[in-house]
Amino acid sequence: MRYGILGLAVVIFVSGCSTTKVVEKPKSVVVEPQVVEKLSAPKIAGFKEIEYMQRQEVIQAAKDCIDARMRPIVQNVPQKTEFGTVMLPVLVNCEIYNIQKR
């Protein structure tokens, strides 16, 4: 009788082990990076590129402002080069001085 109960316990244990679920690890999925195109700036009809002023043009425009008793304001555009960023002049405006009488 001893072996009968023991045999029954072994049978229950073996059948219980065989019915347990085996949990599988999820397989890793390799995701390839997608190439996204860079959006381009909208084009304006008749506009090609920024035209930079020559050195002599900037000097002459500044002298014209000074002759008219105004202050020259030079507007620059940054241009990236292999040596760093360079500021190139594109426009010279004349501005009046802020004169305060004392």
Side-chain angles (χ1 to χ4, degrees):
M1 185 119 173
R2 251 200 216 174
Y3 295 111
I5 295 176
L6 184 61
L8 182 63
V10 170
V11 170
I12 292 174
F13 177 73
V14 171
S15 65
C17 290
S18 65
T19 59
T20 58
K21 293 183 179 179
V22 177
V23 178
E24 295 181 16
K25 293 182 181 178
K27 296 179 181 178
S28 61
V29 178
V30 178
V31 178
E32 295 182 20
Q34 295 179 354
V35 178
V36 178
E37 291 185 23
K38 186 177 179 182
L39 296 176
S40 62
K43 302 293 182 183
I44 299 173
F47 180 76
K48 294 181 182 177
E49 285 187 8
I50 296 174
E51 293 182 15
Y52 305 110
M53 295 178 72
Q54 298 295 324
R55 182 178 184 271
Q56 201 60 36
E57 290 175 320
V58 175
I59 293 171
Q60 187 60 43
K63 283 183 180 180
D64 291 343
C65 289
I66 293 169
D67 291 342
R69 294 184 183 173
M70 301 178 107
R71 179 176 62 177
I73 305 293
V74 180
Q75 294 181 1
N76 299 312
V77 173
Q79 180 67 44
K80 291 184 180 179
T81 64
E82 59 186 23
F83 301 109
T85 303
V86 178
M87 300 299 285
L88 297 174
V90 293
L91 182 64
V92 177
N93 288 332
C94 298
E95 184 178 276
I96 60 171
Y97 286 108
N98 187 9
I99 300 173
Q100 295 178 353
K101 294 183 180 181
R102 292 183 183 188

